[in-house]
């Protein structure tokens, strides 16, 4: 559950500019998933994205499906009971805490995002199983210390015990002046051995011109998308033990045998890599 002090702390903060005049990754992603929490700038960006990348909605759905599979792996096979999900986005059920707490009700989950609109929805929809706990941190991945040092995270997670860090379709949105590799390393340093990293990242390996057009679309609207090659995405897992089957296009990472539609998707149809790795 969200504790009363969490609500009061959020309520005591000064108003935050929503920036609805420019697209936000969480709202565009919600729109591609069929959600309703978006604004004209988000709809324009989504329309422009679909014009150059017609399967963008399928990419969003496959990313979501990977989250479900990775959450089950981390809970059932890896035995993880603590999660930090950064760039959580607008809640879409079943969300991370619903997956893991349906398996291990005592699990604890902290969600973090920099969009105050996400915060408003998270208050209503990130409701924990009574045996566990969820909390929400409004903070920016560009300043990982603002997430790690937040009292709500410290009250929810025991950082002496393993934590699964999930960064799903978020790192490629970081502004160019921020080093995503350094940010990931900084967060993982706060977690003990036995912790995990699960991430997805957009790639320009398959259709560089389309990804360049997508990046230009968002840059013109005040946002940023930085696609990377497979070898560059692999660098996020340096010094970690990749879980089989390693870094794969998202629909090939431990596909659900009941998802017959995934077999019909070519490797090059979804320009998104996915991987899970353990900190030793």
């Amino acid at each position: 559950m969200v504790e009363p002090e969490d609500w009061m702390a959020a309520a005591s903060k000064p108003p935050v500019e929503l920036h609805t005049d420019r697209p936000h990754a969480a709202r565009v992603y919600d729109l591609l998933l069929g959600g309703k929490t978006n604004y004209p700038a988000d709809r324009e960006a989504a329309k422009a994205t679909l014009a150059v990348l017609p399967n963008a909605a399928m990419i969003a759905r496959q990313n979501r499906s990977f989250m479900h599979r990775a959450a089950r792996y981390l809970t059932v096979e890896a035995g993880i009971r603590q999660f930090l999900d950064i760039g959580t986005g607008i809640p879409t059920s079943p969300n991370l805490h619903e997956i893991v707490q349906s398996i291990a009700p005592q699990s604890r989950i902290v969600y973090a995002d920099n969009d105050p609109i996400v915060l408003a929805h998270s208050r209503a929809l990130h409701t924990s199983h009574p045996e566990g706990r969820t909390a929400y941190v409004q903070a920016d991945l560009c300043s990982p210390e603002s997430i790690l040092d937040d009292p709500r995270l410290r009250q929810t997670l025991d950082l002496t015990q393993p934590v699964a860090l999930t960064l799903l379709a978020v790192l490629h949105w970081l502004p160019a002046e921020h080093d995503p590799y350094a940010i990931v390393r900084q967060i993982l340093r706060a977690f003990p051995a036995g912790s995990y990293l699960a991430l997805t990242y957009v790639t320009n390996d398959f259709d560089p011109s389309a990804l360049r057009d997508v990046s230009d679309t968002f840059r013109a609207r005040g946002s940023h998308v930085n696609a990377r090659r497979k070898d560059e995405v692999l660098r996020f897992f340096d010094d970690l033990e990749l879980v089989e089957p390693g870094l794969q296009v998202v629909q090939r990472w431990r596909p659900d045998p009941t998802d017959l539609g995934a077999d019909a998707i070519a490797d090059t149809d979804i320009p998104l890599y996915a991987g899970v790795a353990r900190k030793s």
Side-chain angles (χ1 to χ4, degrees):
M1 66 183 66
V2 178
E3 298 295 325
E5 63 267 22
D6 294 346
W7 288 67
M8 290 189 293
S12 67
K13 291 185 176 182
V16 179
E17 174 57 53
L18 299 183
H19 295 302
T20 58
D21 59 328
R22 59 178 183 247
H24 188 281
R27 301 192 299 262
V28 174
Y29 183 61
D30 175 70
L31 176 59
L32 292 173
L33 286 173
K36 306 299 182 184
T37 307
N38 48 73
Y39 294 86
D42 305 309
R43 294 191 283 274
E44 290 173 12
K47 182 178 179 181
T49 298
L50 288 165
V52 296
L53 198 63
N55 58 350
M58 181 169 62
I59 294 169
R61 291 193 297 270
Q62 288 297 323
N63 184 68
R64 191 77 186 168
S65 180
F66 167 78
M67 184 273 284
H68 295 163
R69 300 193 307 273
R72 288 193 293 268
Y73 166 80
L74 289 165
T75 309
V76 176
E77 298 188 45
I80 296 295
R81 297 294 180 265
Q82 301 190 114
F83 293 79
L84 172 58
D85 182 39
I86 302 179
T88 178
I90 309 292
T92 302
S93 186
N95 217 335
L96 179 66
H97 73 285
E98 294 174 290
I99 298 291
V100 302
Q101 289 183 341
S102 70
I103 300 165
Q106 72 274 30
S107 297
R108 293 179 165 231
I109 299 91
V110 172
Y111 292 104
D113 202 289
N114 67 344
D115 186 353
I117 294 174
V118 173
L119 170 61
H121 286 266
S122 293
R123 287 174 174 170
L125 299 175
H126 283 160
T127 303
S128 175
H129 189 285
E131 293 183 31
R133 187 175 178 190
T134 65
Y136 182 86
V137 173
Q138 185 180 327
D140 197 324
L141 180 57
C142 294
S143 302
E145 63 279 357
S146 68
I147 299 173
L148 294 170
D149 295 339
D150 192 283
R152 284 158 291 191
L153 181 143
R154 298 285 175 160
Q155 292 161 7
T156 305
L157 303 181
D158 177 359
L159 298 189
T160 68
Q161 298 298 315
V163 177
L165 169 64
T166 56
L167 294 163
L168 305 181
V170 61
L171 289 168
H172 48 251
W173 292 100
L174 292 180
E177 64 269 22
H178 293 277
D179 181 354
Y181 301 109
I183 288 172
V184 172
R185 287 195 299 269
Q186 181 177 346
I187 298 172
L188 287 176
R189 276 198 299 269
F191 300 158
S195 295
Y196 282 80
L197 168 66
L199 67 76
T200 58
Y201 199 106
V202 72
T203 183
N204 52 10
D205 280 349
F206 310 135
D207 193 345
S209 62
L211 265 295
R212 185 165 53 248
D213 289 345
V214 169
S215 182
D216 290 345
T217 293
F218 279 94
R219 187 178 297 111
R221 291 166 170 78
S223 295
H224 179 82
V225 180
N226 182 27
R228 295 181 188 271
R229 302 184 309 272
K230 186 174 185 178
D231 62 317
E232 295 175 310
V233 179
L234 275 169
R235 285 182 52 200
F236 288 107
F237 299 101
D238 284 353
D239 301 320
L240 303 176
E241 301 170 5
L242 269 167
V243 170
E244 290 294 335
L247 186 68
Q248 298 287 335
V249 286
V250 67
Q251 71 273 23
R252 299 290 181 250
W253 195 92
R254 299 189 176 220
D256 188 334
T258 64
D259 184 7
L260 301 179
D263 291 337
I265 303 173
D267 286 1
T268 56
D269 283 345
I270 309 291
L272 195 70
Y273 284 122
V276 176
R278 183 180 185 274
K279 178 179 179 180
S280 57

